[in-house]
């Protein structure tokens, strides 16, 4: 992760020999550019592959119920992607919790639409996307709820984007159930961003980096974190409260076959009369 003044290394788990052909970079916040993944091909099969490294989960709008979300998603498809010129309306299906989810009226004709949620498939022994997001949201809520007590213990992170991860080592390193947030808070209290001389050393592409400086994990590998300097004009509710913000780091590798299999699974799950 880089903003011109800062660079951060994320943990990566290489699952199979891969030839990288490009990186996936996104600027989620002005002045803060995220390296969120890499693309390439599996060396033995030449099959396309993507490695996902980081995201910054954010609530962009108010909560919606299932029907409201379905209508909004179908509207985005019809209006933005298909650019239908004579769309009249999109309404919920006639029977709740039964197909179709939505009815789209175009030029006087009604089209029944069944929706399904497609996410990156979960990998064996690792938390899926929903599990990661829930952990992350619980951590944010804990930081807000106990900000007064935690602020003095977390002052070393001020001015940083702290990217955190849970259970990077997989199922065999899972912490005791329900202890992940507590372990993450304890870890954040005990660690600090790398010293300036370490940061400067990273820019010189040194062959070695001092242990537990750039990437810092607890002894059990159940939680960990890394840092990037925030732009001075970066604003967020968490930074206003504690002086820093948090992102979610993890590593997943998906081949084209993985993604196609998940699309087929979701479609088959909804494919009935």
């Amino acid at each position: 992760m880089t903003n011109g003044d800062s660079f951060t290394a994320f943990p990566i788990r290489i699952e199979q020999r891969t030839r990288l052909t490009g990186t996936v970079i996104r600027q989620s916040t002005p002045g803060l550019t995220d390296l969120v993944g890499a693309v390439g091909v599996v060396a033995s099969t030449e099959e396309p592959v993507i490695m996902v490294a980081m995201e910054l989960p954010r609530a962009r709008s108010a909560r919606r119920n299932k029907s409201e979300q379905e209508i909004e998603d179908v509207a985005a498809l019809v209006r933005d992607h298909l650019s239908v010129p004579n769309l009249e309306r999109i309404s919920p299906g006639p029977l709740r919790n039964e197909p179709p989810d939505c009815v789209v009226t175009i030029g006087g004709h009604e089209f029944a639409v069944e929706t399904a949620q497609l996410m990156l498939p979960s990998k064996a022994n690792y938390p899926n996307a929903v599990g990661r997001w829930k952990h992350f949201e619980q951590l944010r809520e804990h930081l807000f709820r106990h900000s007064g007590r935690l602020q003095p213990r977390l002052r070393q992170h001020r001015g940083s984007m702290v990217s955190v991860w849970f259970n990077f080592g997989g199922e065999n390193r899972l912490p005791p159930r329900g202890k992940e947030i507590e372990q993450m808070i304890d870890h954040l209290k005990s660690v600090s961003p790398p010293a300036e001389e370490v940061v400067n050393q990273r820019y010189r592409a040194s062959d070695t980096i001092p242990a537990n400086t750039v990437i810092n994990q607890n002894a059990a590998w159940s939680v960990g974190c890394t840092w990037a300097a925030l732009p001075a004009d970066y604003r967020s509710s968490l930074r206003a409260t504690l002086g820093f913000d948090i992102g979610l780091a993890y590593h997943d590798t998906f081949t084209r076959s993985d993604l196609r299999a998940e699309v087929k699974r979701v479609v088959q799950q909804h494919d009935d009369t």
Side-chain angles (χ1 to χ4, degrees):
M1 179 186 293
T2 174
N3 65 358
D5 298 316
S6 174
F7 179 83
T8 297
F10 290 118
I12 294 178
R13 182 178 56 250
I14 304 299
E15 298 177 346
Q16 51 192 329
R17 190 174 179 83
T18 302
R19 186 173 72 253
L20 297 185
T21 58
T23 55
V24 182
I25 297 175
R26 178 195 61 197
Q27 191 172 66
S28 58
T29 301
L32 190 65
T33 302
D34 308 329
L35 174 62
V36 296
V39 294
V41 294
V42 177
S44 59
T45 63
E46 295 295 309
E47 183 180 17
V49 64
I50 183 169
M51 294 188 293
V52 186
M54 182 267 182
E55 59 186 321
L56 197 61
R58 286 289 183 270
R60 298 297 184 187
S61 55
R63 294 182 183 271
R64 302 169 180 80
N65 60 37
K66 179 175 180 292
S67 180
E68 291 169 340
Q69 186 66 57
E70 289 165 347
I71 290 175
E72 181 170 315
D73 291 341
V74 172
L77 171 69
V78 175
R79 291 174 181 152
D80 302 336
H81 184 67
L82 302 180
S83 302
V84 174
N86 52 350
L87 172 66
E88 296 172 19
R89 66 178 178 276
I90 302 174
S91 56
L95 298 176
R96 186 173 180 176
N97 296 327
E98 291 189 24
D101 291 318
C102 301
V103 176
V104 181
T105 305
I106 302 174
H109 299 281
E110 291 188 343
F111 298 87
V113 179
E114 175 71 356
T115 67
Q117 187 177 47
L118 178 65
M119 305 180 70
L120 290 175
S122 59
K123 308 298 282 288
N125 299 336
Y126 295 97
N128 62 18
V130 174
R132 285 195 299 265
W133 295 339
K134 285 184 176 179
H135 270 144
F136 184 77
E137 186 61 25
Q138 288 169 7
L139 175 60
R140 282 182 58 86
E141 290 177 354
H142 187 101
L143 290 171
F144 276 118
R145 187 165 58 251
H146 301 285
S147 58
R149 174 173 57 85
L150 292 174
Q151 192 175 44
R153 303 289 302 277
L154 301 175
R155 65 174 71 248
Q156 69 271 30
H157 302 293
R158 289 178 181 174
S160 297
M161 172 65 73
V162 187
S163 297
V164 301
W165 57 86
F166 299 88
N167 310 324
F168 182 78
E171 187 177 42
N172 62 330
R173 295 184 182 273
L174 283 175
R177 189 172 182 85
K179 297 292 186 180
E180 296 93 335
I181 304 304
E182 179 181 325
Q183 289 190 355
M184 179 61 76
I185 296 296
D186 288 342
H187 187 64
L188 291 177
K189 290 177 183 177
S190 66
V191 298
S192 299
E196 189 66 30
E197 57 268 24
V198 176
V199 174
N200 292 336
Q201 178 177 318
R202 287 151 67 192
Y203 282 119
R204 293 194 297 270
S206 172
D207 291 336
T208 60
I209 297 175
N212 292 328
T213 55
V214 176
I215 293 178
N216 199 304
Q217 302 184 114
N218 66 356
W221 280 32
S222 56
V223 296
C225 65
T226 187
W227 300 265
L230 285 171
D233 58 352
Y234 177 91
R235 299 287 183 271
S236 75
S237 54
L238 193 58
R239 187 178 193 181
T241 303
L242 289 173
F244 64 92
D245 206 344
I246 57 173
L248 177 61
Y250 59 96
H251 182 79
D252 271 335
T253 300
F254 301 100
T255 64
R256 181 170 58 190
S257 298
D258 293 331
L259 301 181
R260 285 180 171 172
E262 180 66 6
V263 172
K264 290 179 180 178
R265 185 192 70 81
V266 172
V267 171
Q268 291 170 353
Q269 193 177 46
H270 287 72
D271 189 15
D272 54 32
T273 54

